[in-house]
Amino acid sequence: MITVEQLEAKLAEPTQELVNDLGRVSGDLILLGVGGKMGPSLAKLAVNAIREGGLNKRVIGVSRFSNAEARQELEEAGVETISCELLDDEALRALPHAENVIYMAGNKFGTKGREHFTWAMNTYLPGRVADKFKGSRIVVFSSGNIYPFLPVSGGGADEQVTPQPIGEYAQSTLGRERIFEYHSHKNGTPMAMYRLNYAIDMRYGVLLELARAVNEEREIDLTMGFANVIWQGDANAMALRCLTQCDSPPNIVNITGPETLSIRWAANEFAKRLGKEARLTGAESETALLNNASKSHQLFGYPRVSLLQMVDWTAEWVKQGGATWNKPTHFQERKGNF
């Protein structure tokens, strides 16, 4: 996989399980915040699954759409698009009703110095959206960042672990969940909280950052010595399939791969593939931000794309000089400063 076209095609391949699950939920889909990293590929995947299943559903993508080319690509793929500033109450109220909502809007990077905007996007806006779509089922994108740092030998935080968010991004993300949860209790709206760590495709993500650092012979700090990753195509499919898991009070579902990824191991694997030496500094801390997604694996099965496959694809992508996005994960951050 060495071209963006091949990557996009792979991300948009639906499984029969996804087709079946979308057939189980009635009504159209609306994706709020579709212009982000995962939104376009998730929308295209939904369209392809609907076509493959012969389902009678629309897929509506809502974003500010500062990138006209991205909007055109979505429309060509069969996604109906609406340009909307979601913080504008009048514009939000004017959006069409859909029985199925994927809520992806939010703010993470650039929080420092604009904390007020992060809280508006992550905590104020959810209340307005929950009120607008009180008669829908809603999958709420959240983050494993709301969990505490845990011992690396413990298997990560499952859904029973009490959140202890560090920093204003994580705090406001927990705020997002709590506001949606309030409206679910108030209105009986079925919801699923989709707590993700960390989706990757070839253009961004933890593995790309490590591979580029190895290839460019930059130092890799091992202080945050472990992480979780999942192929974005699998994460997208699970987000859509979470529509079958919505409930009131909200159902919580962790989403990531089954492995606790060693940063040291991954760096050395990339060094082998790229013919470089991994320049490792520091030592692994005894704790890390880790997500236990056993529940989602029970519900949806293990991710289709394995960790070694992701490593192989990423190494080849870096070798070929494939396109990348300037959207670092900051997975190394231990103080919550985004």
Side-chain angles (χ1 to χ4, degrees), residues 114 155 223:
R114 297 187 73 210
T223 306

Side-chain angles (χ1 to χ4, degrees), residues 177-190:
E177 286 197 14
R178 295 300 188 223
I179 295 299
F180 271 115
E181 182 182 8
Y182 165 76
H183 284 270
S184 179
H185 280 273
K186 176 184 176 185
N187 300 314
T189 305

Side-chain angles (χ1 to χ4, degrees), residues 71-87:
R71 183 176 189 179
Q72 182 179 347
E73 286 180 6
L74 284 173
E75 291 179 345
E76 290 173 353
V79 180
E80 300 177 34
T81 65
I82 298 173
S83 179
C84 178
E85 170 52 73
L86 292 172
L87 284 171

Side-chain angles (χ1 to χ4, degrees), residues 8-22:
E8 291 283 355
K10 186 67 177 175
L11 288 169
E13 283 182 0
T15 63
Q16 188 59 50
E17 291 80 7
L18 172 58
V19 173
N20 293 344
D21 276 356
L22 286 182

Side-chain angles (χ1 to χ4, degrees), residues 144-187:
N145 279 68
I146 68 174
Y147 288 125
F149 283 72
L150 294 175
V152 298
S153 60
D158 65 17
E159 292 84 356
Q160 304 305 312
V161 171
T162 300
Q164 295 180 37
I166 299 173
E168 296 216 29
Y169 161 67
Q171 291 164 7
S172 65
T173 299
L174 178 58
R176 172 195 302 158
E177 286 197 14
R178 295 300 188 223
I179 295 299
F180 271 115
E181 182 182 8
Y182 165 76
H183 284 270
S184 179
H185 280 273
K186 176 184 176 185
N187 300 314

